[in-house]
Amino acid sequence: MQTKIFHAPDISCGHCEKVIRKSLEGLPGVKQVTVDIPSQNVEVEFDEGKLFASTIESSLTEAGYPATPLSHAEENSRTDVTARGGSCCGSCHL
């Protein structure tokens, strides 16, 4: 199993999290999906023999959340967990 973190700057609420989970949990080889709304990161544990990280990245884009995979160094140094200002995705009433 491999774990990869993707930064998706358009994540803003619980609805975004649900859309992302639904999009990724259906992919073959995905074991676990964790969406951190404040940091706008998506952590995916998957079987690299069944799924490529690029496929996860494409699925996030297709779901409306373009994402960039974090490098190993970035994954280890991510500490910014404050929510950013801006508009919600429009599906909730913030």
Side-chain angles (χ1 to χ4, degrees):
M1 286 289 174
Q2 179 178 351
T3 301
K4 190 74 182 158
I5 299 174
F6 300 85
H7 182 69
D10 294 336
I11 295 173
S12 61
C13 67
H15 178 266
C16 301
E17 178 181 3
K18 289 177 187 176
V19 170
I20 289 168
R21 284 183 175 281
K22 184 177 180 181
S23 171
L24 298 181
E25 289 176 345
L27 295 175
V30 170
K31 181 178 180 185
Q32 184 173 355
V33 176
T34 304
V35 179
D36 183 18
I37 297 168
S39 69
Q40 299 173 315
N41 287 336
V42 179
E43 183 175 320
V44 184
E45 184 178 354
F46 63 99
D47 181 343
E48 64 275 10
K50 296 181 180 178
L51 185 64
F52 294 111
S54 60
T55 305
I56 296 169
E57 189 176 348
S58 294
S59 292
L60 286 166
T61 298
E62 289 174 19
Y65 299 92
T68 305
L70 298 182
S71 70
H72 185 67
E74 288 174 314
E75 289 178 10
N76 291 330
S77 69
R78 295 293 292 189
T79 57
D80 57 306
V81 292
T82 55
R84 292 172 28 164
S87 64
C88 178
C89 65
S91 295
C92 66
H93 304 286
L94 293 179

